[in-house]
Amino acid sequence: MRRPLVAGNWKMNGSREMTEILVSGIGSGLPESDAVDVVVCPPFVYLDLCSATAGGTPIAMGAQDLDIHEPGAFTGAIAADMLVDIGCEFVILGHSERRSLYAESDADVGVKASVAAAKGLTPIICVGETREERESNVTADVVCRQLDAVIDGAGIDIFPRALVAYEPVWAIGTGLTATDEQAQEVHSLIRQRIADASGQAAEGTRILYGGSVKPDNAAGLFSQPDIDGGLIGGASLKAADFLGIIEAAIP
Ligand code: 13P
């Protein structure tokens, strides 16, 4: 039985004030059941405050990216060691916004996953097709290509600790959600692809769904056999909505 996980990707949103209000609101509203892992991923500059505010609660923390190099002369970059130092356990990698806006390649994501795992961070690896790709019936090809680059670059051994997040690009921030069946179909494909390399890894790997998850559609998605939780954007910025989604993930 895989333990569900709900992660909030704040993207480039927040302030000191919002970090304190949001993280303490989530912490004080968590359900009695501790059957769901909860992760928040604020921008780098708020990680320290997030950690201080989340202290004493079961909320874990993640970053939204990392740099693959050891600390040194890389102006503007953040090393994996720094994320560990500040209390991150997770790191989101290969988000579609990083792929499309910052030209991250499949291979880049594979190297980042390898570095994250080597440094003891748990990668949350994002994959997903654009609307054009879905309409051209190449969803499976795209998702498998993105996943294969991670398996090739980081090795199958990063699973089942590493997570995969299936985020159809057309569903991100659009209010359009994949139907429960559409999401399950791709999740099952992802699990099968991991199983081709290791059945044991596939069985244990948590595969999250992301893309306009809200409290009112979360339960249907999370009831699917291969959907093990969610990676939440907009709805993770409001404590009540994020808590509603966490509730929906309790088995
Ligand atoms: P939304 O939940 O705002 O659609 O964002 C999803 C996402 O990109 C999470 O990483």
Side-chain angles (χ1 to χ4, degrees):
M1 178 74 184
R2 293 177 294 271
R3 208 178 138 77
L5 183 145
V6 174
N9 174 10
W10 294 11
K11 310 191 178 184
M12 197 172 73
N13 292 292
S15 62
R16 289 180 57 82
E17 186 185 17
M18 188 198 104
T19 300
E20 280 181 320
I21 292 173
L22 182 52
V23 175
S24 56
I26 297 165
S28 59
L30 285 174
E32 298 239 320
S33 161
D34 64 354
V36 180
D37 288 335
V38 176
V39 183
V40 294
C41 305
F44 290 128
V45 291
Y46 301 122
L47 287 170
D48 208 15
L49 180 59
C50 174
S51 169
T53 311
T57 76
I59 300 171
M61 192 168 73
Q64 299 174 17
D65 187 28
L66 57 68
D67 187 275
I68 59 170
H69 299 96
E70 291 294 320
F74 297 94
T75 301
I78 307 285
D81 285 338
M82 296 170 181
L83 300 179
V84 172
D85 186 38
I86 211 161
C88 286
E89 294 173 59
F90 294 83
V91 61
I92 298 171
L93 297 176
H95 191 279
S96 62
E97 288 149 18
R98 297 223 50 95
R99 292 179 190 263
S100 66
L101 303 172
Y102 302 96
E104 274 188 25
S105 68
D106 296 339
D108 291 338
V109 180
V111 176
K112 287 186 176 191
S114 169
V115 170
K119 295 291 186 181
L121 290 162
T122 298
I124 302 176
I125 297 149
C126 302
V127 298
E129 81 288 2
T130 63
R131 188 166 58 85
E132 293 72 25
E133 289 164 339
R134 174 160 283 267
E135 286 169 357
S136 314
N137 285 320
V138 293
T139 297
D141 298 340
V142 170
V143 168
C144 288
R145 190 197 71 221
Q146 293 172 335
L147 190 59
D148 288 351
V150 170
I151 296 173
D152 291 346
I156 189 66
D157 291 348
I158 68 163
F159 299 103
R161 178 169 170 190
L163 292 87
V164 179
Y166 169 55
E167 299 206 315
V169 178
W170 49 271
I172 294 177
T174 57
L176 291 173
T177 320
T179 64
D180 302 347
E181 294 73 24
Q182 278 174 325
Q184 166 58 26
E185 188 183 6
V186 180
H187 280 236
S188 154
L189 173 87
I190 291 168
R191 197 174 306 289
Q192 185 53 51
R193 197 72 174 186
I194 299 172
D196 291 345
S198 161
Q200 202 186 344
E203 198 46 47
T205 298
R206 293 182 286 185
I207 307 175
L208 311 180
Y209 171 80
S212 299
V213 180
K214 307 284 178 228
D216 60 359
N217 62 19
L221 288 158
F222 297 164
S223 68
Q224 298 297 311
D226 289 300
I227 301 185
D228 306 308
L231 181 56
I232 319 302
S236 75
L237 300 174
K238 289 193 194 125
D241 286 355
F242 194 55
L243 288 165
I245 294 168
I246 294 166
E247 288 277 354
I250 297 173

